Amino acid sequence: MENGAAPTVPAVIVAIDGPSGTGKSSTSKAVAAQLGLSYLDTGAQYRAITWWMVTNGIDTDDPHAVAAAAGKPEIVSGTDPAAPTITVDGVDVAGPIRTQEVTSKVSAVSAVPEIRARITELQRSIAAAAPLGIVVEGRDIGTTVLPDADLKIFLTASAEARAARRSGELKGADVNATREALIKRDAADSSRKTSPLAKAGDAVEVDTTALTLPQVIECVVTLVEEKRAGK
Ligand SMILES: Nc1ncnc2c1ncn2[C@@H]1O[C@H](COP(=O)(O)OP(=O)(O)OP(=O)(O)O)[C@@H](O)[C@H]1O
Ligand SMILES: Nc1ccn([C@@H]2O[C@H](COP(=O)(O)O)[C@@H](O)[C@H]2O)c(=O)n1
């Protein structure tokens, strides 16, 4: 550059949505790390608020009780893709939010409109503050949270592939039971009234069934680079 200043690259916002186990977290983290962007796992935020409800004795099947408590916990997400963090009222909940109990209750909590309004506002403020841009992954990022994202990706994979991946991760958990649980959670997330799991009309769909994780990452990095180059 003539004046010696570093070239500036405009911040880029990437939304990655899709059903459970399609590879959103693994792909988003790697893409963000490779491109020097921030990373936000929005599922972790819904899990964190669900964990708080369970810990505080709120009946997660009672939407009125959940709505009344929606504003109480303070959720903080750290957005470094190399070391993402999640705390509730200052407590590190990265481990507890992955329990079977939280996983079985998170869809009911995240269907409550007051919960979605609170978490959506938080997600938008985090995205707006990311200096170089951010990869945000979830279920409604391209449709509702960041409808003006520069690039929207919708990851899919067969239920069989997703169950095999998850049961490998859960060290030998029964594949059929894992498959049924994934299908049940996707059905709940897709059928809720407020901001359901859905592909945005302008999202690029990537079927990851027959792709390795490095192939998916390369595909998304290429899409971001093409977008940045104005292709
Ligand atoms: N293309 C792929 N091939 C093989 N395994 C994969 C692929 N993508 C992801 N995985 C593995 O599948 C598992 C689930 O991936 P990941 O957690 O990234 O999915 P997710 O869409 O974020 O799931 P959830 O929505 O349930 O959080 C992980 O063990 C991950 O390493
Ligand atoms: N944008 C989002 C993201 C997640 N959810 C809900 O959270 C659950 C857990 O998500 P994981 O990605 O950690 O599996 C998910 O099943 C949804 O109920 C959401 O509603 N919107």
Side-chain angles (χ1 to χ4, degrees), residues 67-155:
K72 293 186 179 171
E74 191 201 9
I75 314 278
V76 176
S77 298
T79 59
D80 176 353
T85 56
I86 179 91
T87 63
V88 181
D89 297 335
V91 177
D92 176 0
V93 292
I97 62 170
R98 304 288 162 193
T99 61
Q100 192 47 47
E101 183 178 25
V102 169
T103 301
S104 66
K105 293 182 169 165
V106 65
S107 291
V109 172
S110 66
V112 175
E114 288 80 358
I115 293 283
R116 298 211 75 78
R118 170 114 202 271
I119 300 288
T120 297
E121 189 188 348
L122 177 61
Q123 291 161 354
R124 287 179 179 152
S125 67
I126 292 170
L132 301 174
I134 189 164
V135 182
V136 184
E137 53 114 342
R139 303 293 190 290
D140 62 338
I141 310 306
T143 53
T144 302
V145 178
L146 300 167
D148 297 328
D150 299 292
L151 177 66
K152 300 178 188 178
I153 310 276
F154 194 79
L155 295 185

Side-chain angles (χ1 to χ4, degrees), residues 20-26 139 165-166 169 211-213:
S20 305
T22 49
K24 300 181 298 296
S25 300
S26 326
R139 303 293 190 290
R165 292 172 188 173
R166 273 270 176 258
E169 197 179 47
L211 300 179
T212 63
L213 181 55

